[in-house]
Amino acid sequence: MENNFRNTHCLSCSSANAAFFGKLNEDGLSQIDSHKKCSFLRKKQALFTEGTYPRGVFCINEGKVKIYKSGEEGKEQIIQIATAGDLVGFRAMLAEDVYKVSAVTLEDCNICFIPKEAFLSIIDANAVLRNGIIKELSKELAQQAEFITNMAQKSVRQRLAVILLILKDIYQEEPINLSREDLANFVGTATETLIRLLKDLKEEGLIDTQTRKISVIDPKKLVRVSQL
Amino acid sequence: MENNFRNTHCLSCSSANAAFFGKLNEDGLSQIDSHKKCSFLRKKQALFTEGTYPRGVFCINEGKVKIYKSGEEGKEQIIQIATAGDLVGFRAMLAEDVYKVSAVTLEDCNICFIPKEAFLSIIDANAVLRNGIIKELSKELAQQAEFITNMAQKSVRQRLAVILLILKDIYQEEPINLSREDLANFVGTATETLIRLLKDLKEEGLIDTQTRKISVIDPKKLVRVSQL
DNA sequence: CGAGCGATTGAAAAGACTCAACCACCGTGG
DNA sequence: CCACGGTGGTTGAGTCTTTTCAATCGCTCG
């Protein structure tokens, strides 16, 4: 965490709009600004780990982070992929609990850290930010309920389609860039099964793959696959 | 909703301790008291339905309620079983969003309704309650992440064991009383599969079944089944 | 007492997982 | 610059799990 930090300013942060910090006025932003610390993280570095106590929250300025839970036998279940503008790690802090998930960078990242005390006191004082957090929690709760439904009721093929659509949203114009194992751990299946299904979708012309990278070609058909 | 209401008072409500209302002082409780309306709901009545706008929150005084999401083709996925002392339906209200889940009573219930405006203004004014809500949201988020992991990585047999343990907690000393279909919709499997697996667990002596009712006999072994 | 819904069983088919082997790309060091 | 080793990706075959569909049973409510 301590290596190589380059401070960006919240006021001029290009990611700020995406996040709820976008809802803050200049005052609120500069409050956060004065307390945060930016750092550069290489691929595969941990932001935090399941079972430890939170010391603050992370705001992603650039790069992507996987949020996952390790099940029995060390198998990871990816719950979410966070990207630029996302605030990460506030759940455990607000619950005054240990982290129930882990967070690791998927690529080189610029990430700002806001210490617990600063964040909590800003939240306490700033109703706008507070409501933003409450809404974010609520929104995520609904998303997860949907995710549960998908995982519980759909076939692996359908789930893969769902996940590809989610990832398309996250990676925007870029091709999806995840290891097959990570992808399998998101879909909740064996790596081999995932590979076979990817091949099918490629042959059907819905996606294209270049070694590790995946591009969604026909989102509409993917939606159809995800539902039936 | 309008039939047969018998007002209970929050101050003397036996369920209040279980919920976050328990954290309130007398002042806070009587504030809620003056705004709420209690009613008696028969089995299978809806509190709210996916897609509609919330008008307030529900506090369960007595009885059990299933919270579920309908997937494609009308198949329900049960997300949670709420019981006495639980507050239900605040997610959508806080997100200023439509309900993303539905809630239906599983048995005859006494349920209090607190209108939106009252609830929001109490939350706004009362930091203790507000923090309670934030914590509750955070706690549920972590629980759901765990649930996702279970659904995605475990076999149906393991999932059934997990769900039976959850239900044992909810039903306390009582035997679990759910239709096979509801149970299947919680575990995320076909009713027939569920029945076969229940039979197995019964033959192995981990549970007992009396027609519809299920008693957990050996929770420790059930834990073992849930993990392997 | 009969209708109907919920529960149960059987058999066949589809889906997914495991294990084992093989391939391909990448970075390192000689 | 190339050989080597290693990790991540891919394929095949066999097995087990789960689903589906069809049929039967049995309780409960009117």
Side-chain angles (χ1 to χ4, degrees):
Chain A
M1 273 299 303
E2 304 307 320
N3 50 343
N4 193 0
F5 44 79
R6 34 174 119 155
N7 266 288
T8 37
H9 288 288
C10 295
L11 287 166
S12 61
C13 174
S14 55
S15 308
N17 290 321
F20 23 67
F21 289 145
K23 292 174 196 142
L24 285 179
N25 53 19
E26 290 206 2
D27 238 34
L29 275 181
S30 54
Q31 255 186 86
I32 291 177
D33 224 358
S34 62
H35 288 291
K36 78 172 197 312
K37 198 163 86 180
C38 302
S39 52
F40 173 79
L41 291 192
R42 291 222 169 280
K43 192 174 171 168
K44 291 196 184 184
Q45 287 194 280
L47 301 195
F48 54 83
T49 306
E50 213 169 327
T52 65
Y53 276 95
R55 298 192 199 155
V57 297
F58 301 86
C59 187
I60 305 179
N61 178 25
E62 202 180 334
K64 297 194 173 30
V65 172
K66 68 173 168 183
I67 314 292
Y68 65 92
K69 200 162 168 56
S70 2
E72 333 292 336
E73 307 155 41
K75 201 171 155 70
E76 293 179 2
Q77 178 61 43
I78 296 185
I79 306 291
Q80 187 201 348
I81 307 277
T83 187
D86 286 343
L87 195 66
V88 165
F90 54 91
R91 206 279 323 160
M93 230 188 56
L94 294 172
E96 301 180 42
D97 195 5
V98 295
Y99 288 114
K100 299 287 188 174
V101 293
S102 304
V104 168
T105 56
L106 287 169
E107 42 190 82
D108 294 353
C109 286
N110 283 317
I111 292 183
C112 299
F113 177 79
I114 303 151
K116 183 173 170 174
E117 305 71 30
F119 187 70
L120 289 180
S121 73
I122 293 171
I123 277 201
D124 222 42
N126 189 320
V128 176
L129 183 53
R130 192 169 66 222
N131 284 331
I133 288 280
I134 291 180
K135 271 196 195 174
E136 179 66 19
L137 287 166
S138 303
K139 212 186 71 188
E140 288 187 13
L141 211 45
Q143 281 173 353
Q144 287 197 3
E146 167 130 31
F147 198 44
I148 289 170
T149 307
N150 285 329
M151 297 313 263
Q153 298 197 345
K154 290 184 192 290
S155 68
V156 176
R157 180 180 156 95
Q158 291 175 310
R159 269 146 55 184
L160 172 56
V162 170
I163 297 290
L164 286 174
L165 289 166
I166 291 174
L167 288 172
K168 176 179 145 57
D169 240 41
I170 293 172
Y171 281 83
Q172 306 268 27
E173 300 312 312
E174 317 267 311
I176 297 164
N177 188 4
L178 276 179
S179 73
R180 298 291 132 119
E181 193 181 353
D182 277 340
L183 196 46
N185 288 341
F186 203 173
V187 176
T189 188
T191 308
E192 298 94 323
T193 304
L194 176 104
I195 287 170
R196 285 182 245 269
L197 291 173
L198 277 181
K199 194 179 165 189
D200 291 348
L201 292 178
K202 184 176 184 178
E203 283 170 0
E204 294 167 31
L206 308 200
I207 62 169
D208 192 27
T209 62
Q210 310 96 52
T211 58
R212 173 189 167 99
K213 292 181 179 168
I214 302 170
S215 316
V216 172
I217 295 179
D218 195 335
K220 281 187 185 172
K221 279 192 189 164
L222 260 188
V223 169
R224 221 171 305 149
V225 169
S226 77
Q227 286 169 346
L228 180 89
Chain B
M1 271 298 303
E2 304 308 319
N3 48 342
N4 195 0
F5 46 80
R6 33 174 122 155
N7 267 287
T8 38
H9 289 286
C10 295
L11 287 165
S12 61
C13 172
S14 55
S15 309
N17 291 320
F20 22 67
F21 290 144
K23 292 173 194 141
L24 285 178
N25 52 20
E26 290 207 1
D27 238 35
L29 274 182
S30 54
Q31 255 186 85
I32 291 177
D33 224 358
S34 61
H35 288 291
K36 77 174 199 309
K37 197 162 89 183
C38 302
S39 52
F40 173 80
L41 292 192
R42 293 223 168 277
K43 190 174 175 171
K44 292 196 183 181
Q45 288 195 277
L47 302 195
F48 53 82
T49 306
E50 213 168 327
T52 65
Y53 277 94
R55 301 194 197 151
V57 298
F58 301 85
C59 187
I60 304 178
N61 178 25
E62 202 180 334
K64 299 197 173 27
V65 173
K66 68 174 169 182
I67 315 291
Y68 65 92
K69 202 163 166 55
S70 1
E72 332 292 337
E73 307 156 41
K75 201 172 155 69
E76 292 179 4
Q77 177 61 42
I78 296 185
I79 306 292
Q80 188 202 346
I81 306 277
T83 185
D86 286 343
L87 196 65
V88 165
F90 54 89
R91 207 280 321 161
M93 231 188 55
L94 294 171
E96 300 180 43
D97 195 5
V98 294
Y99 289 114
K100 300 287 187 174
V101 294
S102 303
V104 168
T105 56
L106 287 168
E107 42 191 81
D108 293 353
C109 287
N110 283 317
I111 293 184
C112 298
F113 176 79
I114 304 149
K116 183 173 173 175
E117 305 70 31
F119 187 70
L120 289 180
S121 74
I122 293 171
I123 277 201
D124 221 43
N126 189 321
V128 175
L129 183 53
R130 191 168 67 221
N131 286 331
I133 288 279
I134 290 180
K135 271 197 195 172
E136 178 66 18
L137 286 166
S138 303
K139 211 185 71 189
E140 288 187 12
L141 210 46
Q143 281 174 354
Q144 287 198 4
E146 167 130 32
F147 197 45
I148 289 171
T149 307
N150 284 330
M151 297 312 263
Q153 298 196 344
K154 291 185 192 292
S155 68
V156 176
R157 181 180 157 93
Q158 290 175 311
R159 271 147 52 185
L160 172 56
V162 169
I163 297 291
L164 286 174
L165 289 166
I166 291 174
L167 288 171
K168 176 180 144 55
D169 240 43
I170 294 171
Y171 281 84
Q172 306 269 30
E173 301 310 313
E174 316 271 311
I176 297 165
N177 188 3
L178 277 180
S179 73
R180 299 294 188 237
E181 192 180 354
D182 277 340
L183 196 46
N185 289 341
F186 204 173
V187 175
T189 189
T191 308
E192 298 94 323
T193 305
L194 176 105
I195 287 169
R196 284 183 245 268
L197 291 172
L198 276 181
K199 194 179 166 190
D200 291 349
L201 292 179
K202 184 175 183 179
E203 282 170 1
E204 294 166 31
L206 308 199
I207 63 170
D208 191 28
T209 62
Q210 310 96 51
T211 57
R212 171 191 169 101
K213 291 181 180 169
I214 301 171
S215 316
V216 172
I217 295 178
D218 194 336
K220 283 187 184 172
K221 279 192 189 166
L222 218 40
V223 169
R224 221 172 304 150
V225 169
S226 76
Q227 285 168 348
L228 181 89

